[in-house]
């Protein structure tokens, strides 16, 4: 391509090139004698794109065979653009080229490296092939730093593990999760005498109890242990004793059980929600839970009743929970997992995940002392028990005490065979009177209280239940069931087949109703509604009940989730990288045609909201938020039931947010930010690696331009500059800039780069505002400090001391009382304010034990508003003024960012979607 000469020894004629805001781009020079022309770029301006505009214009002029002076005359009339500026005619001068280039380079220094937040470690290189069959997409791969004396296949202390890589669904690596406990000093172990008291363990089970205590404390023992045995062998009772003996605050740190979860009736989803709640975190999926436990905190998890997971609606659920939930957790080096599981499929899945795991089989006689077992049997009420015939099963002994003597039992036979013989003898001896009540208990298919049992169709009422109870083995707690399992099977086989339609009609017909004929479910026992739903699903009308928001508000969580998953089974996993074609989908089960899709999606999103401790009002509020804009009548009904002072205007994700090629099939919202300058009418949202421009009123993506694909995903923050450029703050303190596209690359705010180069504790949070005196930039750093930059006047102020212990996690600002108010949240859980020019407030606005994940502040017509979110999923809204408000909201996973607009609308970005709400 022809071009002008780029150098000359002769004098050159030049003109300044300046932008509309008087920023010098460089000097465009010419020399006709040597046919030379070029631009000496003003290096300190860091405006390479602007200089390139003039390079291209000179190339075009040369291609048209214009002389340098003719090109200059033409370019004086060129309007340029916002980035390139234009030639300044009155600046014409003559100089030597060397002197001109030296002048262009004055004050230039090589670019600085941004400061990283303190304590941040570089990511190690990923060195494992993602195509390896043992590493399927979505799995976690751990990089161990094992000190001498530690076995990588055994228990590796958390301080010896650097962290973990995670593979994406496509098989590539996403990020390295650093273990915060890496390299720390482990907690001292208390002497053996300083431990919580151990309650007595009866029925001769001291050897089994001692084995579990030794497993907990032995650093050489495997991280996983499975408790097995036949029904009635005392597995659940033994684990309950262990939890009572080893509380989470036990001074003897090796004897701590942190979480106990009964999997009975649960699915992968509901088990994840409940397990997360017991761990003090929030998780919607096993993937979320895995991310939450990458904190290096040693914990012991106990899962009981895995064989009963899913109930009779989802018989394959024990294996699914073992595979999808427990198998990933078994990879975490600092977790110890104890699971009660005897079913073949679940046991095989767990053994494959932890082949070196320990197994404690309670059917093995060595774990039960014969003499102590015999003494315990002698103290049982009822018929005398031949201890040698039922050893080592406490459940068999209890059933034998309610069975008339005379049933021969072979002590050498397996416990299952002895249980079958006892169950048959017990049923044969049961008088006709109690049989109907016992049959009703068996038809319930789940543990129930005596009050619920008495109300069951066919049970005969409270007096019949009282009489029947005398024939049953004593209940272990408030709930009653037929145990061992072979006893329930014997009763079911000896009774007429369960008529689920009749039972559903009987329970539903007995519900109180309002004037409109709708059932009044408020105040009804959630367990009773769960029974109704179970029978309705079996009768083929479960979808009709699940389409009623009141059922979702008042019934028990486990049954609702199992019913949804029964009627909406997940399609087989398909990864186009490894699978040639998707497996065929199964036909929908009866009742699925009644389902309300919006309610089903809202349930999955609202499920993680305090699953065990929520009130109907809590659940109704969360459902309202995720139904808004999707099923407005249902959303309005849930809002009325919740009684909260806020209303959701809309919630996303919407159709089109998720790329068709994404195998997850769901949105992943990373950040939101208010638009500024030419984008001020939009709410910016980073969703699935794409920047979208949303209408704040409807939530729809309305900007008719191709969406921007993000290479910097804004892990730590996303802001919009006054000229429309977007800035994505990364965890390492660097910023990725996306210039405003309609101006051929808008002007990157110099203050953003200046902050990354000059805040020595690293930039960890950013916020922008176009104020009365021009653009403002708020900065939070890794040391807990704040800064404010007025970019028009280039005035910079900062707090004289850290406001937070640890890094600032989010910051926002607004104009108030003639000044600028900054609000910040930190890893220390506090929310603090700083009025520029007046100093920080002496006390925090709020303080909790969980890190703050998002803050927002805005002066609105209704008063000053502030939103703060924490890592446990709580969002707290404040409004000061004539009608002050302080509200707590839980919608699901923690909010990653928050925005309050000038009208007082609040936008919360959760990983699974965005919720827009207003206060009454």
């Amino acid at each position: 391509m022809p071009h002008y000469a780029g150098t000359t020894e002769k004098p050159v004629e030049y003109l300044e090139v300046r932008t509309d805001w008087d920023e010098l781009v460089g000097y465009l020079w010419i020399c006709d004698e040597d046919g030379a022309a070029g631009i000496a770029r003003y290096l300190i301006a860091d405006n390479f794109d602007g200089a390139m505009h003039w390079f291209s214009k000179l190339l075009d002029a040369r291609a048209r065979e214009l002389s340098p002076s003719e090109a200059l005359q033409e370019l004086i009339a060129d309007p340029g653009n916002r980035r390139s500026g234009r030639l300044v005619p009155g600046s014409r001068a003559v100089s030597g080229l060397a002197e001109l280039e030296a002048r262009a380079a004055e004050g230039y220094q090589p670019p600085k490296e941004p400061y990283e937040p303190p304590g941040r470690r570089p990511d190690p290189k990923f060195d494992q092939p993602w195509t390896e069959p043992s590493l399927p997409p979505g799995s976690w791969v751990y990089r161990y730093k094992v000190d001498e004396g530690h076995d990588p296949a055994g228990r590796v202390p958390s301080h010896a593990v650097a962290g973990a890589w995670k593979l994406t669904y496509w098989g590539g690596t996403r990020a390295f999760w650093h273990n915060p406990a890496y390299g720390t000093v482990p907690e001292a172990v208390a002497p053996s005498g300083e431990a919580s008291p151990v309650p007595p363990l009866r029925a001769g089970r001291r050897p089994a109890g001692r084995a579990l205590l030794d497993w907990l404390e032995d650093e050489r023992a495997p991280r996983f242990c499975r408790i097995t045995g036949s029904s009635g062998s005392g597995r659940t009772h033994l684990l309950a004793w262990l939890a009572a003996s080893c509380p989470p605050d036990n001074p003897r740190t090796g004897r701590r059980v942190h979480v106990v979860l009964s999997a009975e009736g649960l699915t992968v989803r509901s088990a994840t929600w409940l397990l997360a709640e017991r761990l003090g975190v929030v998780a919607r999926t096993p993937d979320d839970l895995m991310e939450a436990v990458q904190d290096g905190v040693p914990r012991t998890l106990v899962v009981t009743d895995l064989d009963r997971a899913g109930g009779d609606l989802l018989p394959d659920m024990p294996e699914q929970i073992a595979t999808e939930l427990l198998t990933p957790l078994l990879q975490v080096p600092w977790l110890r997992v104890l699971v009660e599981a005897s079913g073949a499929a679940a046991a095989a899945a767990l053994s494959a995940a932890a082949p070196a795991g320990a197994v404690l089989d309670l059917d093995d006689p060595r774990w039960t002392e014969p003499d102590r077992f015999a003494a315990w049997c002698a103290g049982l009420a009822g018929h005398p028990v031949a201890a040698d015939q039922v050893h080592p099963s406490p459940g068999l002994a209890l059933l034998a005490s309610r069975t008339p003597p005379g049933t021969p039992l072979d002590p050498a036979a397996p416990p299952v065979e002895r249980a079958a013989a006892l169950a048959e003898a017990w049923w044969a001896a049961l008088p006709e009177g109690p049989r109907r009540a016992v049959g009703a208990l068996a038809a319930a298919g789940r543990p129930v209280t005596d009050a619920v049992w008495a109300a069951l169709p066919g049970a005969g009422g409270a007096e019949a239940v009282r009489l029947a109870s005398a024939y049953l083995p004593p209940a272990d707690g408030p709930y009653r069931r037929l145990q061992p399992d072979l006893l329930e099977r014997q009763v079911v086989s000896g009774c007429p087949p369960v008529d689920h339609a009749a039972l559903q009609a009987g329970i539903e017909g007995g519900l109180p109703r309002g004037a409109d004929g709708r059932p009044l479910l408020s105040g009804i026992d959630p367990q009773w509604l769960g029974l109704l739903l179970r029978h309705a699903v079996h009768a083929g009308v479960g979808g009709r009940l699940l389409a009623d928001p009141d059922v979702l508000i008042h019934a028990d969580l486990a049954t609702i989730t199992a019913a949804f998953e029964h009627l909406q089974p997940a399609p087989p996993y398909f990864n186009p990288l490894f699978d040639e074609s998707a497996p065929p989908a199964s036909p929908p089960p009866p009742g699925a045609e009644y389902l309300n899709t919006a309610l089903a999606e809202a349930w999955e999103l609202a499920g993680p909201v305090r699953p065990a401790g929520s009130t109907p009002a809590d659940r109704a509020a969360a459902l309202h938020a995720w139904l808004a804009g999707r099923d407005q009548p249902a959303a309005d009904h849930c809002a009325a039931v919740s009684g909260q002072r806020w209303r959701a205007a809309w919630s996303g994700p919407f159709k089109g947010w998720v790329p068709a090629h994404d195998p997850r099939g769901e949105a992943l919202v990373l950040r939101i930010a208010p638009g500024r300058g030419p984008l001020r009418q939009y709410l910016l949202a980073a969703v699935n690696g794409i920047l979208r421009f949303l209408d704040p009123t409807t939530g729809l993506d309305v900007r008719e331009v191709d969406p921007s694909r993000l290479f910097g995903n804004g892990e730590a923050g996303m802001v919009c500059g006054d000229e429309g450029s977007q800035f994505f703050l990364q965890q390492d303190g660097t910023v990725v800039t996306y210039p405003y596209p309609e101006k051929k690359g808008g002007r990157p705010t110099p203050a953003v780069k200046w902050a990354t180069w000059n805040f020595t504790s690293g930039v960890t949070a950013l916020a922008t505002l176009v104020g009365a005196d021009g653009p403002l930039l708020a900065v939070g750093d890794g040391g807990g400090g704040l800064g404010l930059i007025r970019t028009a006047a280039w005035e910079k102020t900062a707090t004289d001391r850290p406001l937070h212990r640890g890094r600032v996690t989010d910051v926002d600002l607004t104009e108030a009382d003639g000044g600028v108010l900054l609000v910040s949240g930190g890893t220390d859980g506090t929310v603090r304010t700083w009025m520029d020019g007046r100093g920080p407030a002496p006390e925090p606005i709020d303080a909790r034990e969980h890190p703050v994940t998002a803050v927002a502040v805005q002066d609105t017509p209704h008063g000053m508003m502030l939103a703060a979110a924490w890592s446990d999923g709580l969002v707290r809204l404040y409004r000061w003024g004539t009608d002050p408000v302080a509200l707590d909201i839980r919608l699901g996973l923690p909010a990653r960012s928050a925005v309050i607009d000038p009208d007082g609308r609040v936008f919360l970005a959760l990983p699974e979607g965005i919720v827009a709400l207003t206060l009454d």
Side-chain angles (χ1 to χ4, degrees):
M1 176 180 291
H3 57 83
Y4 298 114
T7 183
T8 179
E9 298 294 331
K10 297 180 176 65
V12 298
E13 184 179 358
Y14 69 90
L15 281 81
E16 292 181 359
V17 182
R18 289 187 177 272
T19 63
D20 291 342
W21 53 90
D22 203 34
E23 180 185 64
L24 180 64
V25 176
Y27 306 95
L28 194 145
W29 59 268
I30 64 166
C31 177
D32 275 338
E33 288 187 59
D34 286 346
I39 182 166
R41 185 166 66 88
Y42 188 47
L43 298 181
I44 199 172
D46 191 25
N47 190 349
F48 182 78
D49 291 342
M52 284 301 297
H53 171 84
W54 301 107
F55 278 118
S56 65
K57 291 292 184 179
L58 289 172
L59 286 173
D60 177 69
R62 178 65 181 86
R64 291 184 285 118
E65 298 185 350
L66 298 181
S67 67
S69 58
E70 289 172 334
L72 178 61
Q73 193 62 34
E74 184 177 280
L75 294 181
I76 288 176
D78 189 293
N81 57 50
R82 185 176 183 184
R83 186 85 170 132
S84 69
R86 62 174 62 196
L87 298 178
V88 182
S91 65
R92 189 186 295 263
V94 177
S95 171
L97 181 57
E99 291 82 0
L100 185 64
E101 290 179 337
R103 188 183 310 164
E106 285 179 359
Y108 174 76
Q109 295 181 358
K112 298 179 180 179
E113 290 295 327
Y115 285 100
E116 286 196 358
R120 192 178 186 282
R121 299 190 295 268
D123 292 348
K125 182 180 179 181
F126 183 72
D127 57 3
Q128 300 194 34
W130 60 267
T131 54
E132 186 176 332
S134 62
L135 305 178
S139 67
W140 288 77
V141 182
Y142 285 90
R143 294 183 56 90
Y144 290 97
K145 177 187 177 299
V146 181
D147 296 334
E148 186 177 353
H150 294 293
D151 179 9
R155 295 185 185 177
V156 182
S158 61
H159 64 270
V161 183
W165 281 106
K166 185 185 179 187
L167 300 185
T168 68
Y169 286 82
W170 292 103
T173 57
R174 184 169 74 185
F176 186 79
W177 290 75
H178 289 273
N179 172 19
Y182 180 53
T184 60
V185 178
E187 184 177 1
V189 178
S192 59
E194 299 178 19
S196 297
V198 176
L201 183 58
R202 307 191 188 282
R205 280 291 163 80
R206 289 172 60 179
R210 170 54 61 186
L212 289 182
L213 292 177
D214 290 344
W215 173 80
L216 279 175
E217 292 192 290
D218 187 355
E219 293 299 327
R220 298 167 298 177
R223 298 194 298 265
F224 171 64
C225 179
R226 180 169 65 90
I227 306 297
T228 186
S230 57
S231 177
S233 61
R235 298 165 298 175
T236 306
H237 181 81
L238 176 64
L239 293 179
W241 169 86
L242 181 70
S245 305
C246 306
D249 58 351
N250 196 334
R252 192 165 172 174
T253 57
R255 287 190 180 181
R256 289 180 179 176
V257 170
H258 301 85
V259 171
V260 179
L261 175 70
S262 172
E264 180 165 7
L266 300 184
T267 68
V268 172
R269 290 178 186 169
S270 53
T272 300
W273 302 343
L274 289 163
L275 185 57
E277 183 180 36
R278 284 160 172 72
L279 287 169
V281 299
V282 183
R284 187 173 66 88
T285 65
D287 191 34
D288 298 330
L289 185 60
M290 280 294 288
E291 292 184 3
V293 298
Q294 303 308 309
D295 53 7
V297 177
R299 299 182 179 97
T300 298
L301 316 181
V302 174
V303 178
T304 67
D305 290 309
L306 182 60
D307 296 332
R308 301 183 188 274
D312 55 359
L313 296 180
L314 300 166
D316 295 334
M317 194 51 63
E319 182 183 9
Q320 289 187 38
I321 290 179
T323 302
E324 299 176 25
L325 177 59
L326 297 179
T327 292
L329 292 173
L330 290 175
Q331 300 177 52
V332 182
W334 44 82
L335 294 185
R336 288 175 291 184
V337 183
L338 186 59
V339 179
E340 174 198 339
S342 298
L350 293 171
S351 297
V359 177
L360 180 63
D361 185 355
L362 293 185
D363 285 343
D364 188 335
R366 62 179 169 153
W367 301 118
T368 307
E369 296 174 306
D371 293 344
R372 292 180 181 274
F373 180 79
W376 174 78
C377 289
L380 295 177
H383 301 292
V385 176
D388 61 325
Q389 295 186 12
V390 294
H391 182 269
S393 174
L396 291 185
L398 290 170
L399 180 58
S401 70
R402 295 296 189 267
T403 305
T407 303
L409 297 176
D410 180 4
V416 172
E417 294 183 9
R418 286 179 277 165
L422 273 176
E424 184 178 359
W426 179 89
W427 179 248
L430 185 67
E432 193 64 33
R435 285 200 172 201
R436 289 191 62 193
V438 173
L441 178 61
R446 60 193 298 177
V448 295
T449 62
D450 283 355
V452 170
W453 180 16
L456 289 173
E463 181 60 21
V465 164
R466 186 186 67 81
L467 294 175
S469 298
Y471 294 91
L472 294 177
D476 187 13
Y479 293 95
R480 189 182 294 277
R481 74 175 329 137
L482 295 176
Q483 284 189 301
D485 291 347
L486 283 170
L487 178 61
E488 183 175 281
R489 295 177 194 172
Q490 176 67 52
V491 173
V492 170
S493 65
C495 294
V498 177
D499 188 342
H500 291 288
L503 290 172
Q504 174 258 324
I507 295 175
E508 190 171 12
L511 296 175
R513 296 182 180 269
D516 59 357
R518 288 173 55 90
L520 300 176
L521 304 185
S522 177
I524 303 296
D525 188 340
Q527 188 185 58
W528 186 247
L529 296 177
L531 285 169
L532 167 63
L533 183 55
R534 171 181 172 266
H535 290 304
V537 171
H538 282 297
V541 294
R544 177 176 60 80
L545 290 183
L546 291 174
D548 183 352
D550 278 332
V551 172
L552 305 192
I553 292 171
H554 296 288
D556 71 281
L557 174 138
T559 306
I560 294 173
T561 309
F564 269 127
E565 295 191 28
H566 174 84
L567 296 174
Q568 288 184 313
Y573 178 75
F574 168 64
N575 189 325
L577 286 180
F578 301 100
D579 303 321
E580 293 184 0
S581 61
S586 302
E593 66 273 14
Y594 299 105
L595 283 176
N596 180 320
T597 302
L599 274 172
E601 293 176 353
W603 175 256
E604 184 175 349
L605 294 169
V609 178
R610 299 173 63 188
S614 65
T615 65
D618 294 332
R619 192 181 288 178
L623 288 169
H624 159 70
W626 294 112
L627 286 167
R630 305 183 189 190
D631 184 337
Q632 203 54 49
D636 294 340
H637 178 76
C638 291
V641 173
S642 71
Q644 80 272 5
R645 289 195 59 182
W646 58 272
R647 290 293 183 272
W650 56 264
S651 60
F654 291 95
K655 185 178 180 180
W657 278 22
V658 184
H661 64 268
D662 193 330
R664 290 171 300 186
E666 59 186 31
L668 178 62
V669 180
L670 196 65
R671 293 282 169 181
I672 58 174
R676 305 295 188 196
L679 301 177
R680 59 186 175 276
Q681 70 270 38
Y682 301 114
L683 177 71
L684 277 57
V687 185
N688 289 75
I690 293 176
L691 182 62
R692 299 192 176 274
F693 302 84
L694 308 183
D695 180 347
T697 303
T698 64
L700 298 178
D701 192 352
V702 294
R703 191 162 183 257
E704 296 181 356
V705 297
D706 291 336
S708 301
R709 297 197 175 273
L710 305 177
F711 296 97
N713 56 17
E715 299 165 329
M718 177 178 77
V719 296
C720 183
D722 61 289
E723 76 292 340
S725 296
Q726 301 101 47
F727 303 92
F728 296 85
L729 178 63
Q730 311 302 303
Q731 295 286 5
D732 62 359
T734 60
V735 174
V736 177
T737 303
Y738 283 77
Y740 184 50
E742 295 182 356
K743 296 295 183 181
K744 297 183 180 179
R747 172 193 177 202
T749 304
V752 174
K753 288 189 176 181
W754 183 92
T756 63
W757 294 339
N758 290 276
F759 276 73
T760 57
S761 293
V763 175
T764 57
L766 292 171
T768 61
L769 179 68
V770 181
D773 297 329
L776 303 170
L777 177 69
V779 180
D781 68 25
L786 296 181
L788 176 65
I789 304 174
R790 290 179 167 84
T791 61
W794 202 244
E795 296 177 354
K796 301 174 284 293
T797 55
T799 54
D800 57 1
R801 57 179 175 82
L803 300 189
H804 298 273
R805 299 184 308 275
R807 66 183 175 90
V808 175
T809 54
D810 200 13
V811 65
D812 199 13
L813 71 168
T814 188
E815 290 185 314
D817 297 333
V820 179
L821 174 66
L822 281 76
V823 173
S824 60
T827 54
D828 60 354
T830 64
V831 178
R832 292 187 174 270
T833 59
W834 173 45
M835 197 75 175
D836 181 38
R838 305 182 197 176
E843 298 295 331
I845 292 287
D846 209 333
R848 301 182 68 242
E849 62 181 4
H850 303 279
V852 177
T853 58
V855 295
V857 66
Q858 182 67 253
D859 193 11
T860 75
H862 309 289
M864 183 67 67
M865 289 183 62
L866 185 149
W870 285 267
S871 63
D872 66 337
L874 177 68
V875 177
R876 189 162 282 166
L877 297 183
Y878 296 93
R879 184 175 69 194
W880 294 272
T882 56
D883 184 20
V885 174
L887 297 176
D888 285 355
I889 302 174
R890 291 184 182 271
L891 302 177
L893 296 183
R896 287 174 165 170
S897 51
V899 171
I900 304 176
D901 73 5
D903 296 326
R905 288 179 296 194
V906 181
F907 305 92
L908 301 172
L910 287 74
E912 59 267 73
I914 301 172
V915 176
L917 56 90
T918 59
L919 299 183
D920 290 345

